[in-house]
Amino acid sequence: MIRKNNIFSILIFLGIVLVSTIIFAEGAASSKDNADVQEQYYIAVKHFRDREYKIALEEFSNIINNYPKTEAAAKAQYMIGEIYSIQDKPEEALSAYKKTVELDPANDAAWRSIGEFYEERKKYDEAVEAYKKVISLIAQNKKPDQEVIPLYEKIADILLDRRKYEEALGYYNQILILDKDHRYTSRR
């Protein structure tokens, strides 16, 4: 009986060592992967800043292909949208922004870009929904009210143009409530 317990204890110990080794190795590999993807991302951003959009597009695409469903992939996807936007390819930009929010639903920059796309094309219902999503995300992250005010104004202006006066008035009133120091409304 003692031998069986010792053998069982040794097997449990070896199992723990094996699992710990695997976890440590995976952690080291993911740490290396994380460093690699960060380096690739910064290289791609450098090409973007240098206006080498073709190279940047390739680099960002490589990140998405090599590290799918990661934060880096979402950031790379957003940057692809920015490249397409600069290159005046709005449909491709919108597609990239939508892929961004699929990977990272809390990416307020992508939602804002989606709203702007729809607003420019007079698809006001879609624009308002995207802007409301941005406001919701900003509120969740407890960002300053000053960041929300321009979005409320965009929504209010769209609603006013569509003759939805009462709803627009609600957003204009929200601006007045949030702009306690009149920093925003005094510029108008």
Side-chain angles (χ1 to χ4, degrees), residues 117-160:
F117 172 88
Y118 286 130
E119 184 179 3
E120 289 169 6
R121 279 146 192 83
K122 299 184 183 341
K123 294 184 175 185
Y124 297 120
D125 291 336
E126 293 92 338
V128 167
E129 288 307 309
Y131 290 142
K132 285 180 179 178
K133 182 68 176 176
V134 176
I135 290 168
S136 161
L137 291 169
I138 290 171
Q140 287 174 8
N141 295 326
K142 297 180 177 64
K143 293 182 181 177
D145 292 338
Q146 295 299 317
E147 201 172 325
V148 174
I149 291 172
L151 296 167
Y152 278 133
E153 184 180 31
K154 282 182 177 243
I155 293 171
D157 290 347
I158 289 170
L159 294 170
L160 186 64

Side-chain angles (χ1 to χ4, degrees), residues 1-2 38 65 69 72 93 96-97 101 112 116 125 134 146 159:
M1 187 71 158
I2 293 175
Q38 284 182 352
N65 292 333
K69 298 183 182 180
Y97 296 137
V101 297
R112 188 182 311 250
E116 290 167 355
D125 291 336
V134 176
Q146 295 299 317
L159 294 170

Side-chain angles (χ1 to χ4, degrees), residues 58-82:
E58 290 173 12
E59 293 293 331
F60 287 127
S61 295
N62 286 338
I63 291 169
I64 293 165
N65 292 333
N66 294 332
Y67 305 96
K69 298 183 182 180
T70 63
E71 183 181 345
K75 288 180 180 180
Q77 192 65 60
Y78 176 78
M79 293 304 293
I80 288 173
E82 292 294 284

Side-chain angles (χ1 to χ4, degrees), residues 26 31-32 40 42 55-57 74 76 81 84 91 101 105 113 123 130 132 153 158 164:
E26 285 177 356
S31 176
K32 182 186 180 321
Q40 281 184 307
Y42 290 117
I55 298 169
L57 197 57
Y84 285 140
E91 296 297 328
V101 297
S113 296
K123 294 184 175 185
K132 285 180 179 178
E153 184 180 31
I158 289 170
K164 295 183 177 182

